[in-house]
Amino acid sequence: MRILIADDEAVSREKLRLIMMHFGEVEAVESGAEAVAAFEVAHMEQNPFRLIMLDINMPEKNGIMVLLEIRASETERNLSIKEKAIVLMVTCKTDKGHIVSCVQAGCDSFIAKPFDMPIISEKLAKFGISKKSAGPPAVNSPEDQKPAVEENPVDLFRDASLYLNRGDIHLPTLPRIRSKFIELSKTGAAFREISDLLKKDLALSAELIRLSNSAYYRGYVENKTLDQAISRVGLAAIEQIIDDICSRKLHSMARKKYRRIIEQLLKHSLACAFSCEAIAREKKLDLSVDPFTLGLLHDIGKLAFLQIISEMESKGKFDPEISTEQILAALEGHHELFGSKLLEKWKYAEIYVQTVLYHDSLGQVESVNDALGLVYLGNIVAKGKGFDIESANPKPPAEPDMEMLNGLKLEPAALESIGNATFKFMEKVQELF
């Protein structure tokens, strides 16, 4: 595998080069212009780079500019999604504001400085990239030379990303949300009661906030909460939206192997949402968004990814069909980036995008704001009470790193109390499943 590194800092560039030599043939350059030139030459020689690593902060032509040129060149060459290079951005922790721009420009993931071999190995493993064998090269049989597209998690991620860029995404709703909404409407329920019902559904919450900020409904002020969205869209339009979503043939719910994963995901999202709301109340946080909705949407990338992969599978895009293990591995490795791409596409406020992008990787940011820390804690509380999806690599629930959370520190007794309240809440919402 050919690897291209671009970094203007000599020490960082050499350190990365020495690490990446364990993974393939490396070419390292010190400027963005040289990176673009090397990329073009490699294609002209029909020996392209499979992996490109770009430092964001390079003078004259920074990493984002290089990324945009590379993606534009690949488009001009009519390269398929599998022929395009995997591009990782190398960032400092202070670059968190740039990561969203990188996502928009088409990066596949990012690595934060300072890095080492274990960090890079773990990141590359998510793309099916491992170290070169220390022994002599094996002689490949014809069977070995067949492309193993189905076995590589990155192919699922990149295929789904291409689908995301091309079309609309329709997320599955809670099984009984429509009948419950009709029941409330017929009995003349108050606005608050209807709002409390709708906010429990990830798909409806996401769609209503997106729609309320669309060109048709958008006002002078951007909506950041579900209550604002409901007020702007109106109950009559909401009923039509619910009918539309619930009447669609959603492939992920129709296919048996996805149902359990989706149910677990929806339960986890609800448990995290309630935990976030309880923690925010306990710490008297004053956020610009609703803590419940913030927690509800944190794993939206997983739900969207499942829906897309299921739809592609139903159209015969994968032969043979992908396994549950492959799906779970791809979800685990790429849901943050995929979710942030989705919310960027839907023009969500930055606070949502940043939370989706970093809630499982606080070490990638310089400082943890209240919204991010809240979801990080809510996520751990939900998992600790057993509300989590299956994992390709099961791990015991993490202990929260309170030192990273600044003013959000909570004593174990307070977390346990919130966890117990979360469990009781989840018992009450079982009727929606």
Side-chain angles (χ1 to χ4, degrees):
M1 178 180 68
R2 294 194 73 203
I3 302 166
L4 175 62
I5 295 169
D7 193 333
D8 65 305
E9 295 180 0
V11 174
S12 177
R13 182 173 66 251
E14 181 62 12
K15 179 181 179 181
L16 189 55
R17 187 186 71 82
L18 291 173
I19 291 174
M20 295 311 298
M21 283 175 60
H22 294 276
F23 296 88
E25 176 191 342
V26 181
E27 181 173 341
V29 298
E30 61 184 46
S31 72
E34 288 179 286
V36 173
F39 170 84
E40 294 294 343
V41 168
H43 272 281
M44 285 189 286
E45 295 176 347
Q46 297 185 341
N47 189 19
F49 294 103
R50 167 69 172 150
L51 174 65
I52 298 175
M53 307 177 82
L54 303 173
D55 182 54
I56 287 184
N57 292 314
M58 292 186 287
E60 296 182 12
K61 184 171 287 189
N62 64 33
I64 298 175
M65 296 166 67
V66 175
L67 173 61
L68 287 168
E69 288 193 39
I70 286 173
R71 292 307 189 210
S73 179
E74 289 174 332
T75 299
E76 289 177 5
R77 296 174 189 275
N78 293 317
L79 299 184
S80 70
I81 192 71
K82 296 178 180 66
E83 293 173 318
K84 293 180 179 181
I86 298 168
V87 180
L88 305 185
M89 307 306 291
V90 182
T91 79
C92 296
K93 290 185 179 181
T94 52
D95 289 332
K96 62 180 180 178
H98 293 153
I99 292 296
V100 173
S101 298
C102 294
V103 170
Q104 289 176 303
C107 81
D108 292 294
S109 194
F110 55 93
I111 294 173
K113 298 177 183 179
F115 50 76
D116 55 21
M117 174 67 85
I119 289 174
I120 289 179
S121 294
E122 183 180 358
K123 178 69 70 170
L124 295 182
K126 295 175 180 178
F127 293 88
I129 299 172
S130 57
K131 291 183 183 178
K132 295 184 295 184
S133 171
V139 178
N140 291 334
S141 67
E143 189 67 27
D144 293 330
Q145 294 171 10
K146 291 181 180 179
V149 171
E150 293 80 18
E151 296 302 322
N152 190 344
V154 69
D155 291 314
L156 294 183
F157 171 71
R158 303 181 84 199
D159 285 348
S161 295
L162 183 65
Y163 191 104
L164 173 64
N165 293 333
R166 287 178 175 173
D168 292 330
I169 306 302
H170 304 299
L171 305 177
T173 63
L174 293 171
R176 296 186 177 88
I177 194 75
R178 183 175 182 274
S179 58
K180 193 67 178 176
F181 174 80
I182 292 173
E183 179 185 324
L184 289 179
S185 298
K186 285 182 177 179
T187 57
F191 173 87
R192 172 51 56 191
E193 196 172 356
I194 292 176
S195 175
D196 285 344
L197 171 68
L198 297 179
K199 74 186 292 186
K200 293 181 176 69
D201 190 279
L202 194 161
L204 285 174
S205 296
E207 176 66 9
L208 288 171
I209 294 174
R210 182 195 70 80
L211 187 63
S212 71
N213 285 318
S214 66
Y216 184 82
Y217 286 100
R218 189 180 179 96
Y220 292 106
V221 180
E222 182 180 47
N223 279 341
K224 294 182 180 179
T225 70
L226 185 60
D227 283 348
Q228 292 170 345
I230 293 173
S231 296
R232 181 174 292 177
V233 174
L235 290 180
I238 288 172
E239 185 169 0
Q240 291 181 343
I241 292 167
I242 292 175
D243 284 342
D244 181 42
I245 291 178
C246 294
S247 64
R248 291 178 186 139
K249 184 180 179 181
L250 296 170
H251 297 273
S252 55
M253 295 300 284
R255 300 179 73 82
K256 186 176 180 179
K257 76 177 183 182
Y258 292 95
R259 290 177 198 162
R260 175 172 169 79
I261 301 175
I262 288 178
E263 182 174 313
Q264 290 175 327
L265 175 57
L266 292 175
K267 287 181 178 179
H268 169 70
S269 297
L270 260 175
C272 180
F274 180 87
S275 299
C276 287
E277 187 174 63
I279 295 168
R281 189 164 51 247
E282 172 78 17
K283 301 301 293 185
K284 298 180 173 59
L285 296 182
D286 183 19
L287 299 176
S288 61
V289 295
D290 173 35
F292 191 97
T293 307
L294 198 65
L296 188 71
L297 299 183
H298 79 286
D299 268 349
I300 193 172
K302 290 182 179 179
L303 192 61
F305 185 91
L306 283 172
Q307 177 60 26
I308 290 173
I309 292 300
S310 177
E311 186 165 340
M312 294 174 70
E313 187 178 61
S314 71
K315 294 178 180 178
K317 299 293 185 182
F318 306 107
D319 184 24
E321 287 193 355
I322 51 180
S323 67
T324 301
E325 290 72 22
Q326 285 174 270
I327 295 167
L328 291 173
L331 283 180
E332 193 172 299
H334 304 294
H335 72 279
E336 292 174 296
L337 197 64
F338 194 80
S340 66
K341 284 186 176 184
L342 176 63
L343 294 192
E344 275 292 321
K345 176 182 174 70
W346 285 351
K347 302 187 186 307
Y348 262 65
E350 185 179 351
I351 188 171
Y352 285 109
V353 178
Q354 296 284 351
T355 302
V356 166
L357 188 58
Y358 294 111
H359 69 269
D360 270 343
S361 51
L362 296 191
Q364 298 282 356
V365 297
E366 184 69 19
S367 61
V368 179
N369 60 37
D370 285 345
L372 185 56
L374 181 66
V375 173
Y376 169 80
L377 271 181
N379 203 19
I380 288 177
V381 170
K383 290 180 179 180
K385 287 300 176 181
F387 300 105
D388 195 10
I389 70 167
E390 298 170 4
S391 173
N393 300 296
K395 299 176 183 177
E399 289 293 327
D401 185 353
M402 291 297 180
E403 295 305 314
M404 300 183 68
L405 300 178
N406 303 316
L408 275 176
K409 293 180 182 179
L410 283 171
E411 295 299 322
L415 275 178
E416 180 62 21
S417 175
I418 289 171
N420 292 336
T422 299
F423 192 86
K424 290 180 180 178
F425 167 78
M426 292 304 297
E427 288 182 326
K428 292 179 180 178
V429 300
Q430 284 299 314
E431 63 179 7
L432 296 176
F433 288 89

